[in-house]
Amino acid sequence: MMGRLTQGVPRRILIALAVLLAVLLLAPWVANDYVLTVLILILYFAYTGQAWNIMMGFAGQLSLGHALYVGLGAYTTAALYVHFGVSPWLGLPVAIVIAAMAGAFIGYLAFRFGVTGVYFAILTIAFCEFARIGFDHFRWVSGSSGFFLPVANYTRNDLWNLRGSPAMFYYVMLALTVVAFLICHWLLRSRIGYFWQAIREDEMAAKTLGIDTFRYKMIAVVISASMTSVAGMFFAFYYNNLFPEQVFHISRSIELILGPIIGGIGTLFGPIIGAIVLTGLAESIFELLSALGWTPPGARQVFYGVCLLIVVMLLPDGIWPPLARKLGLDKSRDKTER
Amino acid sequence: MAALLEVANVSKNFSGLRAVSDVTFAVPRGVIFAVIGPNGAGKTTLFNMIAGVFRPNAGTIVFDGERIDGEPPEQVCRRGIGRTFQLVRPFSGLSVEDNVMVGALHRRHDVTAARAHARDVLARLDLFDKREQPAGSLTLPDRKRLEVARALATDPKLLLLDEVMAGLRPTETDRMVDILTRINRESGLTILLIEHVMRAVMSLASRVLVLHHGAAIAEGTPQAVVRDPAVVESYLGAEAL
């Protein structure tokens, strides 16, 4: 398994990744709670960006409603925990099934009836809005007044029920992000990855080569929705409160896709680079400004806007592709293995 | 032995316009068969019906003993028909090799085996040295050959080529003719092609069907067809040969 995973990956990249992983593993021992919080956010956005990228970057299907899957994952695991005391890890399969079914339903509607491009994107927004309004009136999870998980001073980390210190949450998110990265790496080099990319590039030509495009687009949506719902579980147990207005708000969907867009759509490292740049730099600049005694309101949003503008104007493929060329990791060259 | 492809009384209308009208022909196994005719004669429409893009309004298409008319393109490909597009449609963002990989993975589930097959096909199409380039950066002659390579990688029994010579210089045309001749001779692959370049048709095809205003006006060997008065009148022009 490891052999197949690392096959064809340049040695210096493996070393760089190993060093990065080691640094990330040791971070909680040196970082204070604030830095740890920022790192958790970066990992969270790297993870969700990775999940969204499967649909848009690999298979070319633009979803602007991914907050739906985050929300379904969050509400399902939280409700099962609060009402029945079910561990989030046991609630997770239920959440995944619900999110996958929601994704499959939207995908079926769209792909069966030829809804593509921006119209497909609007459809994804519509369903996220349905959920927002629906959950506002969903009494079982307290509707619009918000659903809360019990918070107490935990003396020890309870991984089984996801109650504990930031360090525990950090490790959980790190593990999820690493797994998501490995899944994407594997998917992209597998048969299905080639078919997705063919569909992304030219659906008609893909059909001519015998690809059942409906089937592979459905698979992309289901995988992406399932992975995104796992982030929802993390969101619920990390923040301990869920408001439909927040969870399903369109800005949630947008903030989740900015990372991969800025980092490079369709690339493996794009979502990670994007999350680091957006969250990491935004926080650093914010900290720097407040250290200088200046805390302009909305500084983060302005920074997001500036980043997006720079990338769109100067690096239309995102940060990663030109960076990869600089590092001698040209896409066409790293595939000359075997 | 029955013909590989049998097209019988096929017609196609586009809101009142009769694009293909009652066309019948059969392509025997192992031959190179050409469809010629002036622009708008219905050649590409005919191709699209065989390839599953359009459903015929009337008539039947039988491939390898089974009816295929009305089946979707991916099903037609699975049955063993590979096609190219008149206006090439490479997967521009992917490398040349990965373009062909997509075709090779059609009948292969193992990525390594598919890669070996893709490289083999690339070598046959003189594209092996360019396999790492992004397909979008290729010149037109290379793209035309990539189009053929991708279709060929799906291991078709019948290859449909829609004007693969169009826009090529004479030397490039000769190169394509050589490649196609070699593929046909070595693997016995049946090829059905639409072509305007008569030079290529004359040297490649063993049988030619002539379409005019959607109807078949002549069929026979290339030498016989170019002397047919109806063909000369409608298509080639009196001074063509």
Side-chain angles (χ1 to χ4, degrees):
Chain A
M1 189 67 194
M2 269 325 273
R4 279 195 74 164
L5 272 176
T6 56
Q7 193 168 35
V9 182
R11 176 173 285 267
R12 56 212 172 90
I13 292 307
L14 287 178
I15 293 170
L17 282 176
V19 170
L20 179 67
L21 191 61
V23 169
L24 286 172
L25 281 171
L26 294 173
W29 272 283
V30 284
N32 60 28
D33 270 4
Y34 170 70
V35 174
L36 210 54
T37 308
V38 174
L39 285 176
I40 289 173
L41 263 183
I42 291 176
L43 290 171
Y44 177 82
F45 283 119
Y47 177 90
T48 51
Q50 208 72 264
W52 177 81
N53 200 30
I54 291 176
M55 227 172 114
M56 176 62 197
F58 297 0
Q61 307 303 313
L62 174 59
S63 166
L64 294 178
H66 253 50
L68 171 65
Y69 310 122
V70 177
L72 288 176
Y75 269 105
T76 307
T77 50
L80 287 173
Y81 179 68
V82 171
H83 290 307
F84 306 114
V86 176
S87 155
W89 299 108
L90 293 178
L92 192 59
V94 182
I96 289 175
V97 168
I98 290 175
M101 275 166 47
F105 182 69
I106 298 171
Y108 181 85
L109 274 185
F111 305 147
R112 193 41 100 204
F113 299 105
V115 180
T116 53
V118 277
Y119 300 102
F120 175 71
I122 291 170
L123 192 71
T124 61
I125 296 177
F127 275 92
C128 196
E129 288 291 289
F130 290 159
R132 183 174 63 85
I133 295 160
F135 272 82
D136 258 348
H137 301 280
F138 194 2
R139 286 282 180 75
W140 192 54
V141 287
S142 312
S144 56
S145 50
F147 193 54
F148 298 91
L149 279 82
V151 186
N153 275 327
Y154 292 96
T155 47
R156 62 186 188 85
N157 289 326
D158 181 358
L159 185 62
W160 181 242
N161 287 315
L162 276 185
R163 311 277 74 196
S165 66
M168 184 196 75
F169 281 103
Y170 172 81
Y171 281 120
V172 169
M173 203 59 239
L174 179 60
L176 291 177
T177 309
V178 169
V179 170
F181 178 81
L182 292 177
I183 290 175
C184 287
H185 175 81
W186 176 75
L187 283 173
L188 200 54
R189 284 162 173 248
S190 66
R191 189 168 185 255
I192 201 171
Y194 281 97
F195 287 175
W196 279 339
Q197 292 178 82
I199 292 169
R200 179 189 75 198
E201 295 288 319
D202 188 330
E203 190 163 344
M204 187 63 222
K207 278 186 184 168
T208 304
L209 295 174
I211 299 172
D212 183 347
T213 56
F214 174 78
R215 179 168 170 228
Y216 286 99
K217 288 197 288 186
M218 286 295 282
I219 294 173
V221 177
V222 167
I223 293 179
S224 182
S226 306
M227 284 175 64
T228 308
S229 70
V230 178
M233 172 195 77
F234 181 88
F235 185 93
F237 284 78
Y238 182 63
Y239 288 110
N240 295 312
N241 60 73
L242 297 170
F243 293 90
E245 280 303 320
Q246 272 183 15
V247 176
F248 294 107
H249 198 270
I250 186 162
S251 62
R252 287 274 166 201
S253 300
I254 301 298
E255 111 193 314
L256 180 154
I257 73 177
L258 282 179
I261 291 175
I262 286 175
I265 291 178
T267 64
L268 278 176
F269 288 97
I272 299 171
I273 302 270
I276 293 171
V277 168
L278 277 185
T279 312
L281 279 187
E283 288 297 329
S284 323
I285 288 175
F286 192 74
E287 275 305 292
L288 188 71
L289 290 180
S290 39
L292 296 171
W294 188 46
T295 49
R300 273 193 197 85
Q301 280 67 25
V302 170
F303 177 78
Y304 285 175
V306 169
C307 273
L308 206 55
L309 205 64
I310 292 174
V311 167
V312 168
M313 288 172 65
L314 303 177
L315 307 164
D317 294 333
I319 298 171
W320 177 250
L323 189 65
R325 275 195 292 277
K326 282 249 162 59
L327 295 170
L329 298 170
D330 197 53
K331 205 178 156 204
S332 55
R333 250 201 285 164
D334 79 34
K335 284 196 175 151
T336 55
E337 83 276 19
R338 283 168 278 229
Chain B
M1 195 161 59
L4 182 61
L5 180 76
E6 289 168 276
V7 175
N9 309 107
V10 161
S11 297
K12 178 73 189 174
N13 306 323
F14 292 112
S15 51
L17 175 79
R18 183 144 258 218
V20 172
S21 169
D22 202 26
V23 170
T24 299
F25 67 98
V27 181
R29 283 168 206 275
V31 306
I32 299 184
F33 192 107
V35 178
I36 64 171
N39 287 326
K43 303 182 299 293
T44 297
T45 305
L46 180 65
F47 252 41
N48 278 333
M49 284 190 282
I50 299 169
V53 180
F54 301 142
R55 178 190 292 272
N57 293 110
T60 57
I61 301 170
V62 174
F63 175 71
D64 215 4
E66 287 180 75
R67 272 187 72 166
I68 60 161
D69 45 283
E71 286 186 354
E74 61 269 25
Q75 180 64 30
V76 172
C77 174
R78 240 166 275 154
R79 287 186 179 276
I81 299 182
R83 76 157 309 174
T84 67
F85 289 94
Q86 185 177 350
L87 301 169
V88 290
R89 307 179 78 143
F91 303 127
S92 307
L94 305 185
S95 70
V96 169
E97 182 171 294
D98 286 352
N99 264 264
V100 182
M101 276 290 284
V102 175
L105 282 162
H106 174 52
R107 288 184 209 283
R108 289 169 191 76
H109 283 258
D110 180 55
V111 173
T112 315
R115 192 172 298 279
H117 180 62
R119 290 191 174 176
D120 182 44
V121 172
L122 283 170
R124 279 196 272 161
L125 269 298
D126 282 354
L127 281 169
F128 188 76
D129 296 337
K130 293 178 176 158
R131 66 186 186 279
E132 288 167 22
Q133 289 183 20
S137 72
L138 291 182
T139 58
L140 183 70
D142 286 342
R143 283 184 203 210
K144 291 269 184 186
R145 289 206 311 286
L146 174 61
E147 193 84 2
V148 177
R150 209 169 56 176
L152 208 54
T154 63
D155 306 296
K157 292 177 199 157
L158 172 68
L159 187 59
L160 304 179
L161 303 177
D162 194 348
E163 296 204 23
V164 283
M165 315 286 176
L168 300 189
R169 282 175 288 116
T171 49
E172 288 292 347
T173 304
D174 291 346
R175 186 182 190 187
M176 188 68 106
V177 166
D178 285 346
I179 289 171
L180 294 178
T181 312
R182 204 184 324 133
I183 289 169
N184 172 256
R185 200 180 48 229
E186 285 171 5
S187 61
L189 178 69
T190 313
I191 299 175
L192 174 59
L193 52 92
I194 293 177
E195 205 42 79
H196 270 306
V197 181
M198 284 311 288
R199 200 171 122 93
V201 172
M202 297 303 284
S203 53
L204 270 175
S206 57
R207 276 193 94 70
V208 178
L209 174 78
V210 188
L211 287 186
H212 186 54
H213 292 318
I217 57 167
E219 193 196 324
T221 63
Q223 292 73 21
V225 160
V226 295
R227 279 193 293 271
D228 188 308
V231 176
V232 173
E233 163 111 20
S234 69
Y235 178 44
L236 298 170
E239 293 160 53
L241 285 150

